[in-house]
Amino acid sequence: MSAEKCAMRGVLRERRKQLPPQAVKAAGAAVCALLSTLPVYQTAKLVIAYLPTENEIPTDRVIAESAPVHRELYLPKSGEKAGFVRWRVGEPLVRGPGGVLEPREGLPLPAVTSAVALVPVVGWDDKGTRLGRGGGFYDRAFGDATHGIVRLGLAYEFQRCPALPCDPWDVALDYIITEQRVLRCGESEVRPGRLQIGGLRL
């Protein structure tokens, strides 16, 4: 892990931790509203989500809507091999590395599948380079199964960086969704939103 990445991660995580609850809630609602307009998400039958920590973009709405629309829901699970397992609302959760909640058990994600993955973000750039929590979980998991998985980073606009350092093992995001817009990484903006959060300001 480079010193540059560590420094950037520390600054951005601290800034996110300082967000007031109403800003986090508003950003989550705005991001989910934009997510719901994205065709690749509308047609998804299988969604990889996450349980947020440290004021990451909330995913409660996505999780709550999965069962009524018959979407299979998968969550990250730590262990000898990074991966995703099937989970339903109400099933047991345990604390994983860093205190992040994860399923106690569950069927693993099929090796060959089409899915949409919602990915937590600490920092991002327009090319889809992602700065994550620092453990390398998503890079390992996606490195083993990248075919057919569309990776959507859920982020705040203030987390945008002009350019992030990229290691050979880093797996890029396909889209970034913030409270303000949807961005197809490496291309032009898909559609704007209306909410202006701008870091700590509502």
Side-chain angles (χ1 to χ4, degrees), residues 107-175:
L107 295 174
L109 183 73
V112 179
T113 191
S114 294
V116 164
L118 310 181
V119 185
V121 171
V122 173
W124 60 275
D125 66 20
D126 293 354
K127 293 181 179 179
T129 309
R130 168 184 172 269
L131 190 64
R133 294 167 177 164
F137 175 92
Y138 284 94
D139 291 322
R140 292 192 298 273
F142 291 140
D144 291 339
T146 55
H147 253 351
I149 298 179
V150 180
R151 298 174 292 278
L152 313 179
L154 306 190
Y156 297 94
E157 191 69 28
F158 75 82
Q159 295 172 311
R160 180 178 179 270
C161 303
L164 284 170
C166 184
D167 292 308
W169 55 83
D170 289 339
V171 178
L173 298 167
D174 298 301
Y175 291 85

Side-chain angles (χ1 to χ4, degrees), residues 15-79:
R15 188 173 180 185
R16 190 179 61 191
K17 288 178 184 178
Q18 297 303 316
L19 289 172
Q22 64 267 29
V24 177
K25 183 177 180 180
V31 168
C32 285
L34 286 171
L35 173 66
S36 67
T37 69
L38 203 59
V40 69
Y41 176 75
Q42 291 173 341
T43 59
K45 297 300 181 184
L46 191 156
V47 171
I48 298 167
Y50 63 88
L51 298 174
T53 185
E54 293 185 355
N55 285 339
E56 291 170 337
I57 293 292
T59 55
D60 50 327
R61 175 176 162 185
V62 170
I63 290 171
E65 291 177 350
S66 62
V69 298
H70 305 291
R71 282 195 180 112
E72 291 188 13
L73 185 68
Y74 286 74
L75 293 177
K77 179 171 173 55
S78 61

